[in-house]
Amino acid sequence: MLWQEAVLSLAERGNEQATTFVFNRAIHACGQARRWQQALQLLDQLQQERLRPTTITYNSAIGACEKAGDWKRALQLLHALSEQPLSSTQVTYIAVISACAKAEEWQSALFLLLDLQQSRVQHNVAIWNAAMSSYISRGLWQQALDILAEGLCRQQVEADVVTYNAMISTCTRRGQWQLALSTFASLVSLSLQPDLVTLNSVISAFGAAQRWEEGWALLLEMPKRNFKADSFTFTAAINTCQSGQWELSLAALEYMRMQALQTDVAAYNAVVSTCGTASRWEQSLQVFKELQFILQADVITYSAAISSCGEATQWLQALTLLSELTLGRLRLDSFAFSSVIRACGKADLWEKALTLLSQLPRHHLQAGQVVYNAAQGAFVDHWQMAVALFCELLSQKLGSATSGAAAITACGRAGLWNLGLCLLEELRKHVVKLDESVYLAAGRNFLGPWQRAQDSLRTLQQSGLQP
């Protein structure tokens, strides 16, 4: 029923007495349409007509507030319900907790969960799972883990497969693949039966850990567990190949097509990136073109293809792809520009790299550290540009070990080792942590002149001459 029809039927009933059931249906319809104001007005009207609200009445009103993200009103209705001779249910608490999660009031949600211990509501792991899922769907990973820990330790809630799935997925997305894999091991040790969601998340964790063999072993083991791999499974498996297993990623994509599994942009992007990592730019472009024929390439696809060409010094191909990207309706990012700039640098096209760098403001992009580092690499044989860019980086507090090493190398190649030492000193002042690349660059470029001076001095001494 549409909310307008529900409200209109109550308004046009004349002297006919409505029932609580009719009001409940109307309040629920308003909630589904995110019309929380009308839902609360109907609740007030119900009470004014001396009808008795039920738990369903309050649950419908709270659900309307939850959809609108009005956590304060949801809490107020929960309090009002507690003052009635009615009983709250799991549905009541889940709706209020979800409203708190939408407003990122995670502490209020946690207090509600803890309040369950004193309430008459029969609670189990389902309500904790619902709370976790609500936070995970909004990207609040740490809060979801806090809720899980509280439920397991303080409330003595016995976790089920859904709980473990949520935790494994959360840890994987936060880059905590070690914790994700140890959680899976705990699930197995408790003799819980993993489901397809579990296995997909674990394969993703193996991908994050760059342990492609174990990820694919789990994929091949799925038929023995009576599971049929879906498109998410194969996309996760393709993502495990990022360390260079390009043939495997192509085979997985072909198998998905043969099995009529849905091949989305994410799967193609993973294959394009994998081929690029393995320096197979031709295969990367081929997959990119196949994607354009079947689906709509996104900025990630373009960036991955551009990076593949850039790493293989195919600067003309990279520039062509960048031109297509800038002419399209996709939102640009600086990563694509940095890849083309790096490709131009490898081809000693520093003027083209400088032109690309100047085009960033036109596309409403800022040249961050990644772009500047790529440009520094392009100017390695042009010390004036390299030093000027390095000084610009320091002034914007974007100096890094990578940019410093490139500027020092440029000075070394030009024989300006005194200037290079000055840059090294400036880098030490402005950059907190220097890695070995800086000192290796200094050693390679300044050790030569020093060694030659030492050799000349030794030759003079052996000739009986005094310097």
Side-chain angles (χ1 to χ4, degrees), residues 418-432:
N418 277 328
L419 179 57
L421 287 175
C422 292
L423 293 181
L424 178 60
E425 186 60 30
E426 287 298 308
L427 192 63
R428 292 175 61 184
K429 290 178 184 177
H430 291 85
V431 179
V432 176

Side-chain angles (χ1 to χ4, degrees), residues 99-287:
C100 293
K102 281 186 175 180
E104 299 189 14
E105 291 288 334
W106 72 276
Q107 288 184 326
S108 298
L110 188 55
F111 288 144
L112 283 169
L113 288 167
L114 298 178
D115 184 56
L116 283 170
Q117 193 173 20
Q118 283 75 40
S119 72
R120 293 172 294 174
V121 179
Q122 182 180 5
H123 60 282
N124 55 29
V125 71
I127 196 167
W128 293 83
N129 289 343
M132 283 184 62
S133 298
S134 182
Y135 277 96
I136 289 171
S137 66
R138 290 163 183 83
L140 303 172
W141 316 115
Q142 188 57 55
Q143 289 88 331
L145 291 176
D146 290 343
I147 284 175
L148 175 63
E150 194 69 39
L152 295 178
C153 300
R154 188 166 176 175
Q155 294 288 309
Q156 290 82 46
V157 174
E158 186 174 344
D160 60 7
V161 174
V162 177
T163 316
Y164 279 98
N165 286 351
M167 187 170 180
I168 292 169
S169 174
T170 299
C171 294
T172 301
R173 293 183 185 182
R174 293 185 69 240
Q176 302 291 329
W177 59 266
Q178 299 97 329
L179 185 55
L181 294 178
S182 65
T183 303
F184 176 63
S186 299
L187 180 149
V188 174
S189 67
L190 292 172
S191 300
L192 290 173
Q193 182 64 38
D195 58 15
L196 185 59
V197 176
T198 317
L199 300 180
N200 288 352
S201 297
V202 173
I203 291 173
S204 295
F206 279 128
Q210 296 185 345
R211 291 159 60 174
W212 67 272
E213 299 97 333
E214 292 163 279
W216 277 80
L218 188 57
L219 170 65
L220 297 174
E221 190 182 307
M222 288 177 69
K224 298 178 184 177
R225 296 175 179 259
N226 296 320
F227 288 117
K228 185 176 181 180
D230 59 12
S231 57
F232 295 103
T233 316
F234 279 100
T235 301
I238 290 171
N239 275 313
T240 66
C241 302
Q242 292 299 317
S243 55
Q245 292 70 36
W246 62 277
E247 300 103 325
L248 204 54
S249 68
L250 286 172
L253 186 63
E254 181 60 28
Y255 183 82
M256 290 176 72
R257 289 193 287 244
M258 289 174 56
Q259 296 296 316
L261 292 173
Q262 182 180 0
T263 50
D264 58 7
V265 176
Y268 277 95
N269 288 352
V271 177
V272 172
S273 177
T274 299
C275 292
T277 303
S279 300
R280 297 285 177 172
W281 68 273
E282 299 97 334
Q283 286 81 0
S284 182
L285 277 184
Q286 182 181 348
V287 176

Side-chain angles (χ1 to χ4, degrees), residues 315-331:
W315 62 271
L316 187 56
Q317 290 281 3
L319 275 173
T320 302
L321 289 171
L322 183 63
S323 297
E324 289 180 17
L325 182 58
T326 54
L327 292 173
R329 296 181 179 179
L330 297 174
R331 185 177 179 179

